[in-house]
Amino acid sequence: MDKMFEQLDSLLDRYAELQELMSDPEVINETSRYMELSKEEAGLREIVSQYTRLKAVLSDITESEELLRESNDPEMEELAKADLSDLQAEKEQLEQAIKILMLPTDPNDEKNIIMEIRGAAGGDEASLFAGDLLNMYQRYAESQNWQTEIIDETATEVGGFKEVAMMITGKNVYSKLKYENGAHRVQRIPKTESQGRVHTSTATVAVMPEYDGVDVQLDPKDIRTDVYRASGAGGQHINKTSSAVRMTHIPTGIVVAMQDQRSQQQNRVKAMQILKSRVYDFYESQNQSEYDSSRKSAVGSGDRSERIRTYNYPQNRVTDHRIGLTLNKLDRIMNGELGDVIDALILYDQTEKLEQLQDGTAHLS
């Protein structure tokens, strides 16, 4: 704990320095610098609050212990023992909370995301399930006061999606939805099944942080752009002009086609937005694979092919295979009530990281 207290003391010093800087008229007049310092101050606020309280609790514990050693009054001793018991319990809670706050954070946690859902094994039923997952995530996003926007879709004749891409924007979107990467399996009786047999289908979910120009710079020479006439729904205006755009990132072979917007320029902007995220995700996945080869994460590597969850309709059951969590409320989860699942995944991930710290396989940042 001594090393942790040293780090916490340095954070206290930095927090005091930030508050002093933010009251400086010169800094206040420099908007970009003030915003940068304000963001750093906000990031330290909770841990500083918890540590300040911990220091007060430790001081109170010392006083209570001294009182117990020096007192000859039975009543005072009983009061001191009761206080000491409460203080020790609060101390343990604060230390645990501080350890979690000091865990290395994912730099992408605050980012918006692009989520891609694809129907996989199971034909029409897989495409319908992809649509059900889309609805589930849209409802969950609404409960979090996030905004959603469909940016690309390939619908099927039965009312599902071969693939659909959605932008989700809001506070800390990636931190909560990053665990959704992988294959989602559904077990249910299709509407077209006359014998009442349960079928198994799958859909895959890819969650990519949204990157802006500052995060990712793609060399224009590495991108081939083709324009063509849009097909399918969209009206006469779209079909009469070459408004659709296909971008290919030559080094990785990643292709993004966009025709949902009204103009070629709008399609170019959306296509580039998705291309940046896919390319960055491609390189990050390679780095993650190297990391996971030395240490497998309990909540999975985010591999698209990894089966992470099963949705069993006949038994109203959802099971997350990574952490062995089973909940018998599939109807509510499909209605967007994902909180219990996501909270359990976050807690499991935090617990694992704490164990690594205690084992000396990771370091406080």
Side-chain angles (χ1 to χ4, degrees), residues 28-47:
I28 292 172
N29 290 329
E30 192 179 338
T31 306
S32 59
R33 189 182 179 206
Y34 183 84
M35 292 296 290
E36 184 180 332
L37 293 172
S38 179
K39 184 177 180 180
E40 185 182 352
E41 186 270 345
L44 292 176
R45 195 178 302 149
E46 185 177 359
I47 194 166

PDB file of all heavy atoms in Angstrom, residues 28-47:
ATOM      1  N   ILE A  28      -7.735  31.074 -17.945  1.00  0.00           N
ATOM      2  CA  ILE A  28      -9.176  31.186 -18.221  1.00  0.00           C
ATOM      3  C   ILE A  28      -9.411  31.784 -19.603  1.00  0.00           C
ATOM      4  O   ILE A  28     -10.330  31.375 -20.327  1.00  0.00           O
ATOM      5  CB  ILE A  28      -9.864  32.042 -17.129  1.00  0.00           C
ATOM      6  CG1 ILE A  28      -9.836  31.301 -15.789  1.00  0.00           C
ATOM      7  CG2 ILE A  28     -11.312  32.356 -17.521  1.00  0.00           C
ATOM      8  CD1 ILE A  28     -10.303  32.131 -14.609  1.00  0.00           C
ATOM      9  N   ASN A  29      -8.579  32.738 -19.996  1.00  0.00           N
ATOM     10  CA  ASN A  29      -8.743  33.389 -21.297  1.00  0.00           C
ATOM     11  C   ASN A  29      -8.261  32.519 -22.459  1.00  0.00           C
ATOM     12  O   ASN A  29      -8.572  32.795 -23.615  1.00  0.00           O
ATOM     13  CB  ASN A  29      -7.989  34.727 -21.310  1.00  0.00           C
ATOM     14  CG  ASN A  29      -8.652  35.761 -20.406  1.00  0.00           C
ATOM     15  OD1 ASN A  29      -9.866  35.743 -20.229  1.00  0.00           O
ATOM     16  ND2 ASN A  29      -7.851  36.657 -19.838  1.00  0.00           N
ATOM     17  N   GLU A  30      -7.494  31.477 -22.154  1.00  0.00           N
ATOM     18  CA  GLU A  30      -7.017  30.556 -23.189  1.00  0.00           C
ATOM     19  C   GLU A  30      -7.917  29.323 -23.185  1.00  0.00           C
ATOM     20  O   GLU A  30      -7.662  28.340 -22.488  1.00  0.00           O
ATOM     21  CB  GLU A  30      -5.559  30.170 -22.911  1.00  0.00           C
ATOM     22  CG  GLU A  30      -4.888  29.456 -24.073  1.00  0.00           C
ATOM     23  CD  GLU A  30      -3.442  29.107 -23.772  1.00  0.00           C
ATOM     24  OE1 GLU A  30      -2.837  29.746 -22.878  1.00  0.00           O
ATOM     25  OE2 GLU A  30      -2.922  28.179 -24.426  1.00  0.00           O
ATOM     26  N   THR A  31      -8.976  29.388 -23.971  1.00  0.00           N
ATOM     27  CA  THR A  31     -10.056  28.397 -23.906  1.00  0.00           C
ATOM     28  C   THR A  31      -9.583  26.964 -24.048  1.00  0.00           C
ATOM     29  O   THR A  31      -9.961  26.087 -23.262  1.00  0.00           O
ATOM     30  CB  THR A  31     -11.112  28.690 -24.989  1.00  0.00           C
ATOM     31  OG1 THR A  31     -11.550  30.037 -24.858  1.00  0.00           O
ATOM     32  CG2 THR A  31     -12.298  27.748 -24.839  1.00  0.00           C
ATOM     33  N   SER A  32      -8.736  26.690 -25.038  1.00  0.00           N
ATOM     34  CA  SER A  32      -8.315  25.307 -25.288  1.00  0.00           C
ATOM     35  C   SER A  32      -7.536  24.748 -24.101  1.00  0.00           C
ATOM     36  O   SER A  32      -7.740  23.593 -23.695  1.00  0.00           O
ATOM     37  CB  SER A  32      -7.458  25.228 -26.550  1.00  0.00           C
ATOM     38  OG  SER A  32      -6.306  26.049 -26.424  1.00  0.00           O
ATOM     39  N   ARG A  33      -6.656  25.556 -23.513  1.00  0.00           N
ATOM     40  CA  ARG A  33      -5.871  25.082 -22.370  1.00  0.00           C
ATOM     41  C   ARG A  33      -6.764  24.886 -21.153  1.00  0.00           C
ATOM     42  O   ARG A  33      -6.621  23.920 -20.398  1.00  0.00           O
ATOM     43  CB  ARG A  33      -4.746  26.060 -22.050  1.00  0.00           C
ATOM     44  CG  ARG A  33      -3.776  25.477 -21.005  1.00  0.00           C
ATOM     45  CD  ARG A  33      -2.678  26.425 -20.638  1.00  0.00           C
ATOM     46  NE  ARG A  33      -1.813  25.826 -19.620  1.00  0.00           N
ATOM     47  CZ  ARG A  33      -1.092  26.529 -18.764  1.00  0.00           C
ATOM     48  NH1 ARG A  33      -1.124  27.849 -18.786  1.00  0.00           N
ATOM     49  NH2 ARG A  33      -0.328  25.932 -17.873  1.00  0.00           N
ATOM     50  N   TYR A  34      -7.694  25.835 -20.955  1.00  0.00           N
ATOM     51  CA  TYR A  34      -8.598  25.724 -19.809  1.00  0.00           C
ATOM     52  C   TYR A  34      -9.444  24.451 -19.915  1.00  0.00           C
ATOM     53  O   TYR A  34      -9.641  23.739 -18.928  1.00  0.00           O
ATOM     54  CB  TYR A  34      -9.513  26.948 -19.738  1.00  0.00           C
ATOM     55  CG  TYR A  34     -10.429  26.926 -18.530  1.00  0.00           C
ATOM     56  CD1 TYR A  34      -9.989  27.374 -17.288  1.00  0.00           C
ATOM     57  CD2 TYR A  34     -11.737  26.426 -18.628  1.00  0.00           C
ATOM     58  CE1 TYR A  34     -10.820  27.341 -16.178  1.00  0.00           C
ATOM     59  CE2 TYR A  34     -12.571  26.382 -17.527  1.00  0.00           C
ATOM     60  CZ  TYR A  34     -12.106  26.840 -16.299  1.00  0.00           C
ATOM     61  OH  TYR A  34     -12.926  26.791 -15.200  1.00  0.00           O
ATOM     62  N   MET A  35      -9.926  24.130 -21.122  1.00  0.00           N
ATOM     63  CA  MET A  35     -10.742  22.927 -21.317  1.00  0.00           C
ATOM     64  C   MET A  35      -9.913  21.673 -21.046  1.00  0.00           C
ATOM     65  O   MET A  35     -10.407  20.711 -20.453  1.00  0.00           O
ATOM     66  CB  MET A  35     -11.293  22.899 -22.745  1.00  0.00           C
ATOM     67  CG  MET A  35     -12.315  23.974 -23.033  1.00  0.00           C
ATOM     68  SD  MET A  35     -13.812  23.785 -22.022  1.00  0.00           S
ATOM     69  CE  MET A  35     -14.505  22.310 -22.750  1.00  0.00           C
ATOM     70  N   GLU A  36      -8.649  21.691 -21.468  1.00  0.00           N
ATOM     71  CA  GLU A  36      -7.764  20.546 -21.248  1.00  0.00           C
ATOM     72  C   GLU A  36      -7.521  20.327 -19.753  1.00  0.00           C
ATOM     73  O   GLU A  36      -7.595  19.196 -19.252  1.00  0.00           O
ATOM     74  CB  GLU A  36      -6.438  20.797 -21.964  1.00  0.00           C
ATOM     75  CG  GLU A  36      -5.465  19.633 -21.899  1.00  0.00           C
ATOM     76  CD  GLU A  36      -4.166  19.932 -22.623  1.00  0.00           C
ATOM     77  OE1 GLU A  36      -4.175  20.736 -23.570  1.00  0.00           O
ATOM     78  OE2 GLU A  36      -3.134  19.352 -22.224  1.00  0.00           O
ATOM     79  N   LEU A  37      -7.252  21.418 -19.025  1.00  0.00           N
ATOM     80  CA  LEU A  37      -7.026  21.323 -17.580  1.00  0.00           C
ATOM     81  C   LEU A  37      -8.317  20.921 -16.856  1.00  0.00           C
ATOM     82  O   LEU A  37      -8.278  20.151 -15.897  1.00  0.00           O
ATOM     83  CB  LEU A  37      -6.522  22.661 -17.038  1.00  0.00           C
ATOM     84  CG  LEU A  37      -5.124  23.100 -17.513  1.00  0.00           C
ATOM     85  CD1 LEU A  37      -4.833  24.519 -17.052  1.00  0.00           C
ATOM     86  CD2 LEU A  37      -4.063  22.135 -16.988  1.00  0.00           C
ATOM     87  N   SER A  38      -9.441  21.436 -17.330  1.00  0.00           N
ATOM     88  CA  SER A  38     -10.731  21.112 -16.722  1.00  0.00           C
ATOM     89  C   SER A  38     -11.040  19.623 -16.856  1.00  0.00           C
ATOM     90  O   SER A  38     -11.554  18.988 -15.917  1.00  0.00           O
ATOM     91  CB  SER A  38     -11.832  21.941 -17.380  1.00  0.00           C
ATOM     92  OG  SER A  38     -13.084  21.634 -16.835  1.00  0.00           O
ATOM     93  N   LYS A  39     -10.709  19.058 -18.023  1.00  0.00           N
ATOM     94  CA  LYS A  39     -10.939  17.628 -18.240  1.00  0.00           C
ATOM     95  C   LYS A  39     -10.052  16.798 -17.313  1.00  0.00           C
ATOM     96  O   LYS A  39     -10.500  15.801 -16.733  1.00  0.00           O
ATOM     97  CB  LYS A  39     -10.659  17.287 -19.699  1.00  0.00           C
ATOM     98  CG  LYS A  39     -10.963  15.833 -20.053  1.00  0.00           C
ATOM     99  CD  LYS A  39     -10.744  15.565 -21.527  1.00  0.00           C
ATOM    100  CE  LYS A  39     -11.060  14.118 -21.867  1.00  0.00           C
ATOM    101  NZ  LYS A  39     -10.846  13.829 -23.306  1.00  0.00           N
ATOM    102  N   GLU A  40      -8.786  17.216 -17.158  1.00  0.00           N
ATOM    103  CA  GLU A  40      -7.878  16.497 -16.260  1.00  0.00           C
ATOM    104  C   GLU A  40      -8.363  16.593 -14.817  1.00  0.00           C
ATOM    105  O   GLU A  40      -8.338  15.600 -14.074  1.00  0.00           O
ATOM    106  CB  GLU A  40      -6.459  17.060 -16.373  1.00  0.00           C
ATOM    107  CG  GLU A  40      -5.438  16.278 -15.542  1.00  0.00           C
ATOM    108  CD  GLU A  40      -4.036  16.856 -15.620  1.00  0.00           C
ATOM    109  OE1 GLU A  40      -3.800  17.778 -16.435  1.00  0.00           O
ATOM    110  OE2 GLU A  40      -3.166  16.393 -14.853  1.00  0.00           O
ATOM    111  N   GLU A  41      -8.826  17.775 -14.429  1.00  0.00           N
ATOM    112  CA  GLU A  41      -9.332  17.973 -13.060  1.00  0.00           C
ATOM    113  C   GLU A  41     -10.547  17.086 -12.793  1.00  0.00           C
ATOM    114  O   GLU A  41     -10.667  16.465 -11.729  1.00  0.00           O
ATOM    115  CB  GLU A  41      -9.682  19.454 -12.859  1.00  0.00           C
ATOM    116  CG  GLU A  41     -10.088  19.831 -11.438  1.00  0.00           C
ATOM    117  CD  GLU A  41     -11.586  19.714 -11.191  1.00  0.00           C
ATOM    118  OE1 GLU A  41     -12.351  19.617 -12.172  1.00  0.00           O
ATOM    119  OE2 GLU A  41     -11.993  19.717 -10.019  1.00  0.00           O
ATOM    120  N   ALA A  42     -11.437  17.014 -13.760  1.00  0.00           N
ATOM    121  CA  ALA A  42     -12.633  16.180 -13.608  1.00  0.00           C
ATOM    122  C   ALA A  42     -12.269  14.703 -13.481  1.00  0.00           C
ATOM    123  O   ALA A  42     -12.895  13.950 -12.733  1.00  0.00           O
ATOM    124  CB  ALA A  42     -13.570  16.387 -14.796  1.00  0.00           C
ATOM    125  N   GLY A  43     -11.208  14.289 -14.205  1.00  0.00           N
ATOM    126  CA  GLY A  43     -10.767  12.899 -14.151  1.00  0.00           C
ATOM    127  C   GLY A  43     -10.166  12.511 -12.810  1.00  0.00           C
ATOM    128  O   GLY A  43     -10.172  11.334 -12.435  1.00  0.00           O
ATOM    129  N   LEU A  44      -9.646  13.496 -12.078  1.00  0.00           N
ATOM    130  CA  LEU A  44      -9.022  13.220 -10.776  1.00  0.00           C
ATOM    131  C   LEU A  44      -9.979  13.423  -9.604  1.00  0.00           C
ATOM    132  O   LEU A  44      -9.695  12.986  -8.487  1.00  0.00           O
ATOM    133  CB  LEU A  44      -7.810  14.138 -10.577  1.00  0.00           C
ATOM    134  CG  LEU A  44      -6.597  13.904 -11.474  1.00  0.00           C
ATOM    135  CD1 LEU A  44      -5.531  14.964 -11.202  1.00  0.00           C
ATOM    136  CD2 LEU A  44      -6.017  12.512 -11.255  1.00  0.00           C
ATOM    137  N   ARG A  45     -11.096  14.081  -9.871  1.00  0.00           N
ATOM    138  CA  ARG A  45     -11.968  14.543  -8.781  1.00  0.00           C
ATOM    139  C   ARG A  45     -12.429  13.416  -7.854  1.00  0.00           C
ATOM    140  O   ARG A  45     -12.346  13.518  -6.639  1.00  0.00           O
ATOM    141  CB  ARG A  45     -13.179  15.266  -9.367  1.00  0.00           C
ATOM    142  CG  ARG A  45     -13.966  16.094  -8.359  1.00  0.00           C
ATOM    143  CD  ARG A  45     -15.108  16.803  -9.061  1.00  0.00           C
ATOM    144  NE  ARG A  45     -14.611  17.663 -10.129  1.00  0.00           N
ATOM    145  CZ  ARG A  45     -15.289  17.925 -11.255  1.00  0.00           C
ATOM    146  NH1 ARG A  45     -16.464  17.351 -11.454  1.00  0.00           N
ATOM    147  NH2 ARG A  45     -14.786  18.730 -12.156  1.00  0.00           N
ATOM    148  N   GLU A  46     -12.900  12.313  -8.435  1.00  0.00           N
ATOM    149  CA  GLU A  46     -13.453  11.238  -7.602  1.00  0.00           C
ATOM    150  C   GLU A  46     -12.378  10.564  -6.761  1.00  0.00           C
ATOM    151  O   GLU A  46     -12.572  10.315  -5.562  1.00  0.00           O
ATOM    152  CB  GLU A  46     -14.165  10.196  -8.468  1.00  0.00           C
ATOM    153  CG  GLU A  46     -14.857   9.125  -7.625  1.00  0.00           C
ATOM    154  CD  GLU A  46     -15.625   8.117  -8.450  1.00  0.00           C
ATOM    155  OE1 GLU A  46     -15.652   8.246  -9.694  1.00  0.00           O
ATOM    156  OE2 GLU A  46     -16.211   7.192  -7.844  1.00  0.00           O
ATOM    157  N   ILE A  47     -11.232  10.270  -7.381  1.00  0.00           N
ATOM    158  CA  ILE A  47     -10.185   9.583  -6.626  1.00  0.00           C
ATOM    159  C   ILE A  47      -9.619  10.485  -5.533  1.00  0.00           C
ATOM    160  O   ILE A  47      -9.294  10.026  -4.429  1.00  0.00           O
ATOM    161  CB  ILE A  47      -9.065   9.066  -7.569  1.00  0.00           C
ATOM    162  CG1 ILE A  47      -8.187   8.072  -6.819  1.00  0.00           C
ATOM    163  CG2 ILE A  47      -8.221  10.193  -8.141  1.00  0.00           C
ATOM    164  CD1 ILE A  47      -7.284   7.264  -7.713  1.00  0.00           C
TER     165      ILE A  47
END
